[in-house]
């Protein structure tokens, strides 16, 4: 029997190379290798509003991500592509799962801790309860696998705990999902500060590559990426974190092993290595951007999202009806 694979991306900031390598590229690869499986992928716009968003920008980014999923190579016939806020059951289940999640569990989430340290005033309560909504996104569709980058692993562990807790109390109901974290590229680092995760939240920065960057920007950012003074192409994340990150990016983009990249460039200068890497990125990203341009204004994208909404909506509706029955909510 085929498995169901579910994942989402939050429309805040721009999409980065980190999102591409850690998440989107995995979706595409899985879809190629797992012909039996179903793919439910969505734009997590409800998650975006845990921090203040400009409405017009939020709407644009939401559609951008939907178009980018397809532009990066997801097969439209095999993907249930939808927008989270268009399926109201996510929030409904999110509340129910909050009622099965403990304060202490949410307080331990490192993403919440990091964000709340950066932003010590005006922390919304939804930023705190966010992992319960994320659990709902996954459990609503009985996901078997959830492909994500390393930073989401803790949220997945919590999702599994919540599912098990619910199942233990109410009887088997939710599929307990497993994270799928890529072997190479699960945590792409900032190009300027290679001890920090590459993040889409810092706008106008040399630290990340946006999937929308043009050729000149890609080349400039790779050229100025921080390395070290050892002048030796070697994979050593402790002593050469900047270079290790670039090697990881190269290996992932080319679908090669890290050792293969190291072997190929072991006698090269950093400059040659960086030039080749920049070119590989240009060769990957520019065709994606062309497809994105065709899709973003198309009726086809709207039709795909309508269809995704219908399929996901029907599944969610049925699951929630049963869920409420289990819990004893409503009259029957
Ligand atoms: P988000 O939008 O921050 O990131 C989307 C995906 O990209 C991965 N990612 C990275 N991978 C490698 N290196 C990086 N530097 C990097 N930055 C981001 C993330 O791990 C993620 O897989 N809460 C989620 C969105 C979400 C979700 C879900 C995911 C909401 N509901 C249900 C899976 C299932 C988030 O904020 O991801």
């Amino acid at each position: 029997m085929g498995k169901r694979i579910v994942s989402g991306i939050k429309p805040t900031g721009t999409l980065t190379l980190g999102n591409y390598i850690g998440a989107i590229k995995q979706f595409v690869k899985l879809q190629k290798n797992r012909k039996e499986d179903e793919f439910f992928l969505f734009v997590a716009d409800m998650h975006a509003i845990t921090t203040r968003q400009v409405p017009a920008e939020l709407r644009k980014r939401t559609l951008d991500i939907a178009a980018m999923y397809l532009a990066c190579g997801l097969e439209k016939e095999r993907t249930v592509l939808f927008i989270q806020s268009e399926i109201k059951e996510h929030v409904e289940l999110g509340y129910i799962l909050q009622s099965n999640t403990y304060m202490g569990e949410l307080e331990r989430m490192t993403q919440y801790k990091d964000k709340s340290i950066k932003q010590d005033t005006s922390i919304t309560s939804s930023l705190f309860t966010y992992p319960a909504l994320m659990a709902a996104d996954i459990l609503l569709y009985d996901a078997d696998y959830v492909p994500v980058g390393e930073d989401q692993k803790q949220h997945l562990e919590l999702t599994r705990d919540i599912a098990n807790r619910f199942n233990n109390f109410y009887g088997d109901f939710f599929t307990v999902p497993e994270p799928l974290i890529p072997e190479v590229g699960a945590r792409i680092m900032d190009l300027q500060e290679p001890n920090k995760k590459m993040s889409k939240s810092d706008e106008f920065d040399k630290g990340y590559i946006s999937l929308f960057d043009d050729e000149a920007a890609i080349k400039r950012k790779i050229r100025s990426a921080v390395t070290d003074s050892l002048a030796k192409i070697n994979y050593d994340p402790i002593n050469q974190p900047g270079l290790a990150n670039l090697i990881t990016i190269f290996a992932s983009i080319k679908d090669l092993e890290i050792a293969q990249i190291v072997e190929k460039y072991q006698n090269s200068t950093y400059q040659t290595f960086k030039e080749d890497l920049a070119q590989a990125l240009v060769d990957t990203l520019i065709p994606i951007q062309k497809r994105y341009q065709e899709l973003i204004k198309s009726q086809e994208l709207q039709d795909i999202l309508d269809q995704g909404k219908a399929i996901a909506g029907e599944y969610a509706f049925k699951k929630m009806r049963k869920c409420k029955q289990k819990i004893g909510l409503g009259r029957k």
Side-chain angles (χ1 to χ4, degrees):
M1 250 255 293
K3 301 283 186 194
R4 185 168 302 121
I5 295 177
V6 177
S7 198
I9 298 180
K10 196 172 53 176
T12 52
T14 187
L15 277 170
T16 70
L17 190 61
N19 298 127
Y20 177 69
I21 291 177
I24 304 177
K25 197 162 187 296
Q26 299 308 311
F27 308 159
V28 175
K29 223 183 195 169
L30 284 165
Q31 205 169 44
K32 283 214 180 81
N33 296 338
R34 304 178 65 106
K35 297 281 181 213
E36 298 286 292
D37 294 355
E38 281 182 288
F39 289 78
F40 279 50
L41 298 171
F42 60 92
V43 186
D45 55 346
M46 281 293 194
H47 287 278
I49 62 166
T50 53
T51 54
R52 188 63 77 205
Q53 302 297 324
V54 176
E57 283 176 17
L58 175 59
R59 183 156 295 133
K60 178 175 185 309
R61 287 193 181 122
T62 298
L63 212 57
D64 276 353
I65 292 181
M68 264 299 181
Y69 271 127
L70 298 168
C72 289
L74 282 169
E75 296 169 38
K76 53 182 191 284
E77 298 79 12
R78 293 185 53 219
T79 310
V80 179
L81 181 63
F82 62 98
I83 295 171
Q84 182 195 26
S85 66
E86 294 185 1
I87 315 279
K88 64 183 186 332
E89 283 81 2
H90 286 245
V91 177
E92 201 176 5
L93 182 59
Y95 174 74
I96 289 172
L97 297 183
Q98 266 183 55
S99 308
N100 287 277
T101 308
Y102 302 127
M103 296 289 284
E105 289 175 315
L106 294 173
E107 277 160 5
R108 277 199 293 279
M109 294 293 116
T110 50
Q111 199 168 60
Y112 165 75
K113 285 197 278 190
D114 292 349
K115 282 196 180 169
S116 54
I117 289 168
K118 267 194 227 153
Q119 186 198 328
D120 54 341
T121 54
S122 323
I123 297 161
T124 61
S125 53
S126 62
L127 189 63
F128 184 63
T129 56
Y130 172 121
L133 180 60
M134 180 162 161
D137 300 337
I138 296 166
L139 301 182
L140 188 56
Y141 301 105
D142 289 306
D144 297 290
Y145 296 115
V146 184
V148 283
E150 166 82 30
D151 62 339
Q152 296 300 320
K153 195 173 161 199
Q154 199 188 23
H155 291 156
L156 257 296
E157 278 158 12
L158 178 62
T159 300
R160 289 169 57 86
D161 289 345
I162 297 172
N164 281 319
R165 183 173 303 143
F166 189 101
N167 290 347
N168 286 339
F169 190 78
Y170 294 106
D172 251 7
F173 185 64
F174 291 121
T175 302
V176 181
E178 285 192 35
L180 290 181
I181 297 176
E183 271 173 40
V184 177
R187 191 172 177 83
I188 298 298
M189 309 308 271
D190 190 283
L191 300 177
Q192 292 298 316
E193 296 171 69
N195 294 313
K196 198 179 112 187
K197 184 186 76 171
M198 183 183 282
S199 160
K200 57 194 164 186
S201 316
D202 336 272
E203 206 94 29
F204 309 115
D205 191 12
K206 290 194 295 182
Y208 68 84
I209 289 178
S210 159
L211 296 193
F212 297 99
D213 277 345
D214 61 18
E215 179 166 349
I218 296 169
K219 291 189 166 166
R220 193 175 58 240
K221 289 180 185 181
I222 292 296
R223 216 175 288 136
S224 66
V226 166
T227 50
D228 52 70
S229 54
L230 298 176
K232 171 100 188 94
I233 304 271
N234 185 29
Y235 182 76
D236 181 351
I238 307 283
N239 298 307
Q240 296 175 274
L243 183 63
N245 188 40
L246 297 179
I247 294 173
T248 302
I249 293 173
F250 211 162
S252 176
I253 288 291
K254 289 293 217 184
D255 283 318
L256 291 172
E257 304 284 329
I258 289 198
Q260 291 174 294
I261 298 287
V262 172
E263 201 193 320
K264 178 156 184 219
Y265 288 96
Q266 58 188 343
N267 297 318
S268 305
T269 61
Y270 287 180
Q271 193 193 353
T272 308
F273 168 77
K274 280 180 163 182
E275 272 166 22
D276 286 4
L277 168 58
Q279 192 57 48
L281 284 168
V282 168
D283 294 344
T284 305
L285 297 185
I286 302 302
I288 289 175
Q289 291 172 8
K290 289 211 176 97
R291 287 195 291 276
Y292 159 85
Q293 290 299 349
E294 287 160 20
L295 279 158
I296 191 68
K297 294 199 176 73
S298 70
Q299 183 55 38
E300 188 188 13
L301 178 63
Q302 299 296 330
D303 294 344
I304 291 169
L305 289 170
D306 283 343
Q307 201 190 4
K309 178 183 172 186
I311 298 172
E314 192 184 332
Y315 198 94
F317 175 77
K318 289 186 180 148
K319 188 78 184 168
M320 265 324 285
R321 194 173 50 198
K322 285 191 219 142
C323 182
K324 286 176 167 169
Q325 273 168 357
K326 279 245 172 221
I327 300 175
L329 290 167
R331 280 177 295 171
K332 65 172 180 134

